[in-house]
Amino acid sequence: MTLKMKKATSPAETARILAEVRREGLSIGLVPTMGALHEGHISLVKMSLERSDYTVVSLFVNPKQFGEGEDLDKYPRTEDRDVATLEELGCDLLFMPDRDSIYTDTDRTKVSISSLGDHLCGASRPGHFDGVLLVVAKLFNMVNPDHAFFGQKDAQQAVIIQRMAADLDFPVRIFLGPTVREADGLAMSSRNRYLTDDERNRAPRMRAGLVAAAEAITNGERDASMLKKLVTASMTEGGFEIDYVECVDGGTLQPVTSANGTILLAAAGKLGRTRLIDNIAMKVGPEGAAETLLEFPEWSRYE
Ligand code: PAF
């Protein structure tokens, strides 16, 4: 176990540490998190350790991305365990700011995005992506990373962040890590720990529906409404209160009627009080169809 991980709680301290890192000519990778780390986060930290000379993990439960009545107050906090996990992984710097070092009462600036947030989680969680973009823009400015790592599980978030980074000229390359899953297919999420045993047993039905739809695509089905029916049926069987089941273009995130090119099949729903999301991206062409990760080519102008 390496015990060399530094911890910073203020942007100024972070800037001081990173100025030295930059003087040494090292590349910096950033993995933004809200803590309650699971294997999904760990895989992103490992990606950063592989691709960057110096890895920064931020841990901040960002109040601005939680809506009224959402789970901000009960969002899981496992700080001691998170610190130990990151130390063991070999993370170089843990940036753990408190609310007041990120936001002030005089803040007035918003970061919002058009169209990419119209559907999926953007439609059901108004203001959510404004909150995500604001904090990620601040983190990008505070850390000035060469690379930043996000999970495909939050595919819409990743697309929106990539767009913001390109539009606002953050010279950062965004990498997407594949969704890490439990043995029964359930996507890892900090929120899974809210599930009762019974809900946990039913939770994989969302993934099962998405897999059924992906298989249908592989077998030639292109009709988005048929694909959505397969996902909906499986989630209904699992007792989900469905928030959305959508088939959207993987670049524009606008609904499509036919699955062609790179598409994202995405679903969200509640089991009891717990909201879960998942998705599968598929590359569909005349020669066939296969699961894929969404791709972000636009960083290349900073290579
Ligand atoms: O994906 C998350 O955990 C959060 O949305 C992020 C990117 C850390 C911003 O708060």
Side-chain angles (χ1 to χ4, degrees), residues 32-34 41 60 62 65 128 132 135-136 150 154 157 161:
T33 81
M34 298 206 300
H41 298 110
F60 178 63
N62 174 32
Q65 69 187 75
H128 168 68
V132 170
V135 83
V136 172
F150 297 89
D154 297 301
Q157 165 173 284
I161 289 170

Side-chain angles (χ1 to χ4, degrees), residues 38-52:
H38 52 67
E39 291 296 327
H41 298 110
I42 290 172
S43 73
L44 296 178
V45 175
K46 286 183 176 163
M47 275 179 83
S48 176
L49 290 165
E50 268 168 33
R51 291 175 189 272
S52 322

Side-chain angles (χ1 to χ4, degrees), residues 146-188:
D146 299 278
H147 313 136
F149 299 84
F150 297 89
Q152 159 91 23
K153 191 193 138 243
D154 297 301
Q156 185 177 24
Q157 165 173 284
V159 170
I160 284 178
I161 289 170
Q162 163 63 36
R163 188 71 257 155
M164 175 194 72
D167 290 352
L168 298 183
D169 292 286
F170 284 102
V172 58
R173 177 173 179 179
I174 311 282
F175 288 91
L176 205 53
T179 304
V180 180
R181 300 181 179 282
E182 303 284 356
D184 60 8
L186 177 65
M188 299 250 180

Side-chain angles (χ1 to χ4, degrees), residues 239-258:
F240 275 87
E241 184 194 319
I242 294 177
D243 181 349
Y244 63 76
V245 173
E246 280 292 356
C247 180
V248 299
D249 179 86
T252 65
L253 302 187
Q254 298 303 304
V256 294
T257 53
S258 177

